[in-house]
Amino acid sequence: MKPVYLEDGELKLIDQTKLPTEFIVHSYTDYRKIAKAIVDMIVRGAPAIGVTAGYGVYFGALEYQNEPKDVFYDKMKEVCELLASTRPTAVNLFWAIKRMEDVMAANVDKEPAQLVAILKDEAQAICAEDIQMCRDMGKHGAELIHQNDTILTHCNAGALATADYGTALGVIRAAHEAGKNISVYADETRPFLQGARLTAYELHADGIPVTLITDNMAGWMMKLGKIDGVIVGADRIAANGDVANKIGTYSVSVLAKAHGIPMYVAAPTSTIDFAMKSGDEIVIEQRDCREISHICGIQVAPDGVAMENPAFDVTPHQNVTAIITEKGVVYPPYDINIPKLKEFPS
Amino acid sequence: MKPVYLEDGELKLIDQTKLPTEFIVHSYTDYRKIAKAIVDMIVRGAPAIGVTAGYGVYFGALEYQNEPKDVFYDKMKEVCELLASTRPTAVNLFWAIKRMEDVMAANVDKEPAQLVAILKDEAQAICAEDIQMCRDMGKHGAELIHQNDTILTHCNAGALATADYGTALGVIRAAHEAGKNISVYADETRPFLQGARLTAYELHADGIPVTLITDNMAGWMMKLGKIDGVIVGADRIAANGDVANKIGTYSVSVLAKAHGIPMYVAAPTSTIDFAMKSGDEIVIEQRDCREISHICGIQVAPDGVAMENPAFDVTPHQNVTAIITEKGVVYPPYDINIPKLKEFPS
């Protein structure tokens, strides 16, 4: 299930705000509309946002390819700034834009029209590499999942959050494909309900047994002995192993620790912010409180009541059993083992 | 705000499924419809259910008062059984019905028509005593809340869950009325959203500062140092201090403990099941999974996916800092101090 791909010269995005009851694919060629699709969470999930932003830069170049070179570079600066302004927490977004910018910088001698082809190739490479990274993460992570395990996951770190296959759900897919008889509990993940709408949807579609629960049931399911492990994705990982991920991940990590259940994070190394010492520095996106007061457009909270809507929280590295990357599984001490990943061949 | 009261010979119930956007009061005189209102959660909250069931028994007696005495008692057995079958977890329901049955047993010499008046008085007494108990709980519990405290609450243990004033929210009201500058964080409490729809509604109406969050934000708010204490209600308390309350309470208790935050339970002694040794024996009501798959009638989960919907969980006594009752505050060891409440004068 590919949520973002290039086809017939258009960027295609599965509208993830309409799942699971409607399957709609939108087409884009305007980088402004691509940026808005990220803001509106038509596409979401840190890796998928990165892939989308890469294509966004390409469509910007396509639009301005007939401008004089200096105008072209000015315009491309605007394109990259707009795309980077869409969401603040997922590091893959900035990573992908930086990669496109680096390609432009390395080809500054070329004419804009030539650059367009190079940028298209780079965006396609980001997309293809993302799928390969998910497959590699799956291979490494599947080793941590045992026969008959029941795994809790939060939010959607699945095919729909990547170019395909998924990070946390990629690990689950790989274990399932390896013949392990596993099942999944999916937190519904308010306010955006990614667990109910997306994780339950894509696992069910793939025939992997999944049970949907509300977020506040996770601890009770652990208490009842129904959960053997937790796997989640990540939007940014600091150099010390602190993990920013969907709001609620922190609570799940505390609950897992209290019940002696391993807590795994699956994310490509592009999610690691090697320059960031700890999670304290991570900017947490605050989203519109209407996501809480209204569900599917229906008002569920009284007018005039204060609300908070942080989109993410930070799980301290002490609560993370291991981090599953495309290069292998990283264990504590993270402040020593994470920097080593930089030297590890891709 | 009284969610259940007798007026002009009819039982009035605020329709809590319609709040906060519609304020509708239904009228009842048929005990069957009163039982259905409990099942459908028109009225909910352990003490309010008890009060409603008391009135239900009275309306049953009113309906059958012209029957011969033996038929009357047979019919009243049916009335009590129907009302007792509505919800399995809240002990106040059985406590209130038992109290009405005891009154009938004590007046077995009277004619049915005379009994109706006695049962009406008893139902009114249950209602009035519930309000007084909430006031007394408030007085005792307010001592535990400090100036400038921010209190997290889960579900609705408010005026809307009792005959008036509330248990957990009664304590908050009493602290507020005592001039303490307190504020409240309310978990929205999926799947039924009692926190968003009811707790936020009644606190906001009373001018008590309240901030609404999704359930999965509670741990993160604790981590950020925003929560000084937790107060929740209870549907049943075992003799060892284990507490059955709305699903999600257990997770909150684990999170509070991990952050060194006190966890208080406010409940009248009618909520205590002195005959039950531990929470392991408590029957947990499993509700229709449509409450999870559909929100306000809109489908949010894919067809065919498995779900769980336990309405309650059990918080072990080790996670409970103190239990606030109308007779005073009870501290551990609960297995010694809870039985003492039986001897304590009402």
Side-chain angles (χ1 to χ4, degrees), chain B residues 232-246:
Chain B
V232 296
D235 290 78
R236 189 182 296 220
I237 301 175
N240 71 341
D242 290 350
V243 174
N245 192 46
K246 181 53 53 195

mmCIF file of all heavy atoms in Angstrom, chain B residues 232-246:
data_model
loop_
_atom_site.group_PDB
_atom_site.id
_atom_site.type_symbol
_atom_site.label_atom_id
_atom_site.label_comp_id
_atom_site.label_asym_id
_atom_site.label_seq_id
_atom_site.Cartn_x
_atom_site.Cartn_y
_atom_site.Cartn_z
ATOM 1 N N VAL B 232 -10.397 10.695 41.111
ATOM 2 C CA VAL B 232 -11.396 10.003 40.282
ATOM 3 C C VAL B 232 -12.508 9.473 41.184
ATOM 4 O O VAL B 232 -12.375 9.473 42.417
ATOM 5 C CB VAL B 232 -10.766 8.822 39.506
ATOM 6 C CG1 VAL B 232 -9.712 9.304 38.515
ATOM 7 C CG2 VAL B 232 -10.177 7.791 40.464
ATOM 8 N N GLY B 233 -13.577 9.033 40.600
ATOM 9 C CA GLY B 233 -14.650 8.371 41.331
ATOM 10 C C GLY B 233 -14.430 6.867 41.348
ATOM 11 O O GLY B 233 -13.312 6.395 41.072
ATOM 12 N N ALA B 234 -15.463 6.118 41.675
ATOM 13 C CA ALA B 234 -15.365 4.660 41.688
ATOM 14 C C ALA B 234 -16.732 4.056 41.428
ATOM 15 O O ALA B 234 -17.750 4.642 41.791
ATOM 16 C CB ALA B 234 -14.830 4.170 43.022
ATOM 17 N N ASP B 235 -16.732 2.897 40.794
ATOM 18 C CA ASP B 235 -17.974 2.154 40.584
ATOM 19 C C ASP B 235 -18.125 1.020 41.577
ATOM 20 O O ASP B 235 -19.225 0.580 41.863
ATOM 21 C CB ASP B 235 -18.049 1.637 39.142
ATOM 22 C CG ASP B 235 -18.265 2.795 38.186
ATOM 23 O OD1 ASP B 235 -17.291 3.512 37.895
ATOM 24 O OD2 ASP B 235 -19.417 3.009 37.774
ATOM 25 N N ARG B 236 -17.007 0.548 42.072
ATOM 26 C CA ARG B 236 -17.034 -0.462 43.124
ATOM 27 C C ARG B 236 -15.656 -0.488 43.784
ATOM 28 O O ARG B 236 -14.644 -0.409 43.086
ATOM 29 C CB ARG B 236 -17.371 -1.848 42.556
ATOM 30 C CG ARG B 236 -17.632 -2.882 43.645
ATOM 31 C CD ARG B 236 -17.911 -4.271 43.104
ATOM 32 N NE ARG B 236 -19.132 -4.349 42.313
ATOM 33 C CZ ARG B 236 -19.989 -5.394 42.376
ATOM 34 N NH1 ARG B 236 -19.772 -6.400 43.197
ATOM 35 N NH2 ARG B 236 -21.053 -5.423 41.586
ATOM 36 N N ILE B 237 -15.645 -0.585 45.102
ATOM 37 C CA ILE B 237 -14.386 -0.685 45.835
ATOM 38 C C ILE B 237 -14.431 -1.959 46.659
ATOM 39 O O ILE B 237 -15.391 -2.192 47.400
ATOM 40 C CB ILE B 237 -14.183 0.544 46.761
ATOM 41 C CG1 ILE B 237 -14.172 1.839 45.929
ATOM 42 C CG2 ILE B 237 -12.884 0.408 47.566
ATOM 43 C CD1 ILE B 237 -14.101 3.114 46.753
ATOM 44 N N ALA B 238 -13.411 -2.805 46.482
ATOM 45 C CA ALA B 238 -13.345 -4.054 47.257
ATOM 46 C C ALA B 238 -12.837 -3.750 48.670
ATOM 47 O O ALA B 238 -12.302 -2.674 48.942
ATOM 48 C CB ALA B 238 -12.431 -5.055 46.557
ATOM 49 N N ALA B 239 -12.995 -4.728 49.549
ATOM 50 C CA ALA B 239 -12.634 -4.538 50.957
ATOM 51 C C ALA B 239 -11.142 -4.291 51.156
ATOM 52 O O ALA B 239 -10.719 -3.743 52.177
ATOM 53 C CB ALA B 239 -13.081 -5.746 51.774
ATOM 54 N N ASN B 240 -10.327 -4.663 50.152
ATOM 55 C CA ASN B 240 -8.878 -4.432 50.269
ATOM 56 C C ASN B 240 -8.441 -3.115 49.627
ATOM 57 O O ASN B 240 -7.249 -2.828 49.545
ATOM 58 C CB ASN B 240 -8.102 -5.595 49.638
ATOM 59 C CG ASN B 240 -8.223 -5.604 48.115
ATOM 60 O OD1 ASN B 240 -9.145 -4.973 47.570
ATOM 61 N ND2 ASN B 240 -7.325 -6.297 47.450
ATOM 62 N N GLY B 241 -9.423 -2.328 49.126
ATOM 63 C CA GLY B 241 -9.090 -1.028 48.543
ATOM 64 C C GLY B 241 -8.882 -1.040 47.041
ATOM 65 O O GLY B 241 -8.598 0.009 46.448
ATOM 66 N N ASP B 242 -9.004 -2.189 46.399
ATOM 67 C CA ASP B 242 -8.959 -2.227 44.923
ATOM 68 C C ASP B 242 -10.191 -1.477 44.397
ATOM 69 O O ASP B 242 -11.290 -1.636 44.921
ATOM 70 C CB ASP B 242 -8.990 -3.670 44.401
ATOM 71 C CG ASP B 242 -7.703 -4.443 44.697
ATOM 72 O OD1 ASP B 242 -6.715 -3.818 45.135
ATOM 73 O OD2 ASP B 242 -7.705 -5.673 44.496
ATOM 74 N N VAL B 243 -9.983 -0.691 43.318
ATOM 75 C CA VAL B 243 -11.032 0.214 42.850
ATOM 76 C C VAL B 243 -11.405 -0.067 41.398
ATOM 77 O O VAL B 243 -10.565 0.058 40.501
ATOM 78 C CB VAL B 243 -10.569 1.682 42.965
ATOM 79 C CG1 VAL B 243 -11.597 2.622 42.345
ATOM 80 C CG2 VAL B 243 -10.310 2.057 44.413
ATOM 81 N N ALA B 244 -12.666 -0.439 41.166
ATOM 82 C CA ALA B 244 -13.155 -0.511 39.790
ATOM 83 C C ALA B 244 -13.672 0.868 39.414
ATOM 84 O O ALA B 244 -14.465 1.467 40.149
ATOM 85 C CB ALA B 244 -14.274 -1.540 39.662
ATOM 86 N N ASN B 245 -13.200 1.385 38.310
ATOM 87 C CA ASN B 245 -13.680 2.678 37.821
ATOM 88 C C ASN B 245 -13.547 2.664 36.302
ATOM 89 O O ASN B 245 -13.054 1.703 35.704
ATOM 90 C CB ASN B 245 -12.886 3.829 38.458
ATOM 91 C CG ASN B 245 -13.529 5.184 38.201
ATOM 92 O OD1 ASN B 245 -14.731 5.346 38.349
ATOM 93 N ND2 ASN B 245 -12.733 6.159 37.783
ATOM 94 N N LYS B 246 -13.998 3.711 35.679
ATOM 95 C CA LYS B 246 -14.015 3.831 34.222
ATOM 96 C C LYS B 246 -12.696 3.377 33.595
ATOM 97 O O LYS B 246 -11.617 3.676 34.107
ATOM 98 C CB LYS B 246 -14.289 5.292 33.866
ATOM 99 C CG LYS B 246 -14.365 5.635 32.390
ATOM 100 C CD LYS B 246 -15.337 4.780 31.614
ATOM 101 C CE LYS B 246 -16.724 4.761 32.214
ATOM 102 N NZ LYS B 246 -17.556 3.648 31.653
#
